[in-house]
Amino acid sequence: MPGLQPLYDLAPYPVKNILTTARGYVLTRMRYSQLFWRHLQELLEREKEPAGAIEEYQNESLRRLVSHVYDHVPFYRRSFASLRLLPSDIRTVRDLPLLPVLTRETVRSCWKEFISDDAGRGTVRVFTSGTTGAGLPVVYDGDAYIKNWAFRARQKVWAGIHPREWRISLLGSRVAPLDRTRPPFWTYNYLERQILLSIFHISSDYRQHYVDFLASHPNLFMEGFPSVLAILGGFVGEAGGHVAMRAVFTDGEPLQAEARRKITSAFSCPVYDSYGMTEWVGLIQECEKGRHHFISDYGLLEVLDDQGDPVPAGEEGYLVWTGFTNMTMPLIRYRIGDKGMWEKDQACPCGRPFPLVHPTITRDSDYLIAPDGRILSPRAINQLLKDRTSFRSCQFVQRARDTVEIRVVPGDGDAAKDAKSVKEALERMLGRTVAVEVVFGDKPLQRKNGKIPLIFSSIQTGRGEETTSVTTPASSAGQTINGEGNSIGSGGGVTCNNRG
Ligand SMILES: [Zn+2]
């Protein structure tokens, strides 16, 4: 609730904790509802089933999905009509190629047509900014939320952690006012049993405060963006020690090898990575044996080449998802832009029936440094872009401590207005002494290796030698720039009725 942020910022610390708890009350009630526990129990039972049973579950779920979108989702009703298909034509996963591949850009340009006409009142609209700031609204309901939470909880169980244990979160919430210069940089959500640490105050000046806080809260589990956890891990390491935690769950960005090393060594515990996205169409989770599983009861995954044909195991292709969870805004054969490959060796010692897949995108990005020394990770900066739907891309360029350039490639909508509000928000985040300038361009800045990072910085790297490709993005994604275009891919020819 962004409108209440100023009031929250003004509240005394104990009141902040109450507000945080109150703000989380509805979510907590949903998260641990009876429905949640039932879903979790089902999931824990399903993962013991043989691969054949999972396949049958997938086919059933696909049939249910297809019949739902045909009856209720305008985009698909038209799409089926123009392809002369009926739901009965899609019986199993093998029939999926009859439907076209969908790009993120198509969904972005006509997202309202993907919303089910039987969506009830309790739907929530959120935004995902993608890696380069092209915003997409996503709509879901409470049922999808609870299911999604159960899938997340199952991974906790893999780590031997009960879903209701206390945790430390380093996510995007603004839990302390940006101009705060002394602790606390954290707040408590008592009902949720969650301590939220600010990711906007991490700096060498405040390093000791963070280290002391963690040292006084050992043996919990942590969750957050890998870039942020790696900085904290680095702080703990520099302070000459480690703080033992039960496990660390990373999400929201690729987890680079160097970041993983810093986190495991600082917190003396395993890291469980996961890859998902706000669209809730697909999920990849790391098991206790350190392998990445495509969660095949969450949705369907195809790995396809540029022409939409499947690529063999061991070769890189686009990850193309069909989700079973979100019936309010269902997406079928959704090519988000990320790449990956099926593992050649599909045997994991954990024995679960979920195939092994290797996401290969390494979303590298620098950090922004505020004049007061705070280090802002790509995910902290990403928060500024979440509800901006008018950018094709948006990046941040820092060449000196006191200047930042916002580089925007406009798409549909009022990009100038959005750019102005991002500029103002960034000034609030970095402090008024920073000169922020908006520059419009016709294509995003690209590194020599072709990657398109959110932040370019020539004053530091702060990234260490992060070179491997063991990754996991999430909560956003979609490299829809680079001319992937608006077309719907092979066999389709369906476009939006109206834009926006
Ligand atoms: Zn495994």
Side-chain angles (χ1 to χ4, degrees), residues 287 293 348 350:
C287 72
H293 291 272
C348 181
C350 81

mmCIF file of all heavy atoms in Angstrom, residues 287 293 348 350, ligand 1:
data_model
loop_
_atom_site.group_PDB
_atom_site.id
_atom_site.type_symbol
_atom_site.label_atom_id
_atom_site.label_comp_id
_atom_site.label_asym_id
_atom_site.label_seq_id
_atom_site.Cartn_x
_atom_site.Cartn_y
_atom_site.Cartn_z
ATOM 1 N N CYS A 287 16.788 -28.507 -5.194
ATOM 2 C CA CYS A 287 16.513 -29.452 -4.100
ATOM 3 C C CYS A 287 17.711 -29.508 -3.155
ATOM 4 O O CYS A 287 18.713 -28.835 -3.360
ATOM 5 C CB CYS A 287 16.196 -30.832 -4.670
ATOM 6 S SG CYS A 287 17.642 -31.666 -5.351
ATOM 7 N N HIS A 293 15.191 -28.449 -10.305
ATOM 8 C CA HIS A 293 14.082 -29.214 -10.857
ATOM 9 C C HIS A 293 13.036 -28.291 -11.464
ATOM 10 O O HIS A 293 12.647 -27.301 -10.843
ATOM 11 C CB HIS A 293 13.383 -30.022 -9.749
ATOM 12 C CG HIS A 293 14.210 -31.149 -9.205
ATOM 13 N ND1 HIS A 293 14.198 -32.400 -9.770
ATOM 14 C CD2 HIS A 293 15.076 -31.205 -8.165
ATOM 15 C CE1 HIS A 293 15.016 -33.201 -9.079
ATOM 16 N NE2 HIS A 293 15.570 -32.489 -8.100
ATOM 17 N N CYS A 348 18.431 -37.405 -10.336
ATOM 18 C CA CYS A 348 18.832 -36.645 -9.150
ATOM 19 C C CYS A 348 18.735 -37.572 -7.942
ATOM 20 O O CYS A 348 17.733 -38.268 -7.769
ATOM 21 C CB CYS A 348 17.933 -35.434 -8.947
ATOM 22 S SG CYS A 348 18.426 -34.476 -7.495
ATOM 23 N N CYS A 350 17.894 -37.032 -5.135
ATOM 24 C CA CYS A 350 16.755 -36.771 -4.248
ATOM 25 C C CYS A 350 15.565 -37.657 -4.611
ATOM 26 O O CYS A 350 14.664 -37.852 -3.799
ATOM 27 C CB CYS A 350 16.345 -35.296 -4.280
ATOM 28 S SG CYS A 350 15.318 -34.837 -5.684
HETATM 29 ZN ZN ZN B 1 16.777 -33.333 -6.656
#
